[in-house]
Amino acid sequence: MFSRSLSLTGIASILMILQACGQTPEKPAVPASEQVPEITLNLPADAGCTCVEPVVRDYTFLDKGFAALADGDYEGAIEYFERYRRLDSSAEANWEAGIAVTFIKSLEESPFFDPRGARRSYRDLYTQNWQSMEVHQQTLLLQQALENFRLMHRRQVDVERSNAVLKEDLEKRDEAIKRLRELTLGQKGAAQ
């Protein structure tokens, strides 16, 4: 029984200590002379922010168009690029979709293959102020590929012209050699 009474006494002591710890004295009221004044900042009430929110562009259809293009689905790619152009309706989206469609028209395996139309379209797109636009990086790659196609075509035309001139010169030389032979053989025949 003795141990039981100690444990009851111990529990009672612990409860009294906890009760004493739980009670906190109330804070005395601070006299008005000792109160801390509220801080006021020298900021205008309405700053009138003229911040420009960055334009968030949705590249979903453009990215889907690039994926379809990579898969060789030219019809699907053009549909995505045109949808992107219609939904975004910005100068950047118009240029990006135009470059992508022009690229597809420049591919020989594309059912939309139209090299003359692609050249005209690229010429029109290149004259726009696309360098100052923030456009998708893959569109810039397509633009660079189109520029390379244009340069290669120009070189091909130059080589074909040069080849035609050389061919004409060769025909003239062959004709001159043939006449020279006839003259030379004709003189030998007359001398005998």
Side-chain angles (χ1 to χ4, degrees):
M1 264 187 92
F2 182 72
S3 64
R4 200 170 210 201
S5 69
L6 275 180
S7 63
L8 287 178
T9 309
I11 293 175
S13 307
I14 292 174
L15 286 175
M16 286 197 313
I17 292 173
L18 289 175
Q19 189 179 14
C21 290
Q23 295 177 352
T24 56
E26 288 186 27
K27 293 183 184 177
V30 179
S33 62
E34 293 181 16
Q35 288 184 353
V36 179
E38 189 173 325
I39 298 175
T40 56
L41 301 175
N42 295 329
L43 296 175
D46 183 19
C49 180
T50 57
C51 303
V52 178
E53 289 289 325
V55 177
V56 178
R57 299 192 41 218
D58 183 9
Y59 288 117
T60 304
F61 288 116
L62 186 65
D63 288 332
K64 286 182 179 183
F66 288 135
L69 178 60
D71 288 339
D73 178 13
Y74 302 113
E75 293 92 359
I78 285 193
E79 286 178 23
Y80 283 125
F81 293 137
E82 291 299 336
R83 193 175 299 166
Y84 171 68
R85 183 191 321 240
R86 281 191 310 271
L87 291 178
D88 196 310
S89 71
S90 66
E92 288 86 356
N94 189 41
W95 189 84
E96 289 168 328
I99 285 291
V101 170
T102 300
F103 182 81
I104 291 172
K105 287 181 179 180
S106 71
L107 299 175
E108 210 169 305
E109 65 271 7
S110 166
F112 304 101
F113 180 63
D114 179 12
R116 286 190 175 135
R119 278 194 296 277
R120 274 192 310 272
S121 178
Y122 179 69
R123 201 174 311 124
D124 293 341
L125 290 165
Y126 192 80
T127 59
Q128 295 178 14
N129 191 13
W130 59 272
Q131 292 91 347
S132 66
M133 297 178 188
E134 289 189 30
V135 294
H136 198 279
Q137 290 179 344
Q138 288 181 343
T139 308
L140 292 176
L141 289 174
L142 293 182
Q143 183 275 327
Q144 186 59 54
L146 287 169
E147 182 65 18
N148 290 339
F149 290 165
R150 188 185 67 80
L151 292 174
M152 294 292 285
H153 181 271
R154 182 182 294 163
R155 288 181 185 148
Q156 178 185 358
V157 168
D158 290 346
V159 166
E160 287 173 355
R161 284 182 188 155
S162 177
N163 191 25
V165 169
L166 290 174
K167 188 176 181 179
E168 188 178 315
D169 287 348
L170 184 61
E171 287 173 358
K172 287 179 183 178
R173 286 182 186 173
D174 284 345
E175 190 64 36
I177 290 173
K178 186 177 178 182
R179 278 193 236 147
L180 187 58
R181 262 192 214 139
E182 289 173 359
L183 287 174
T184 305
L185 290 176
Q187 286 179 355
K188 285 186 184 179
Q192 290 179 4

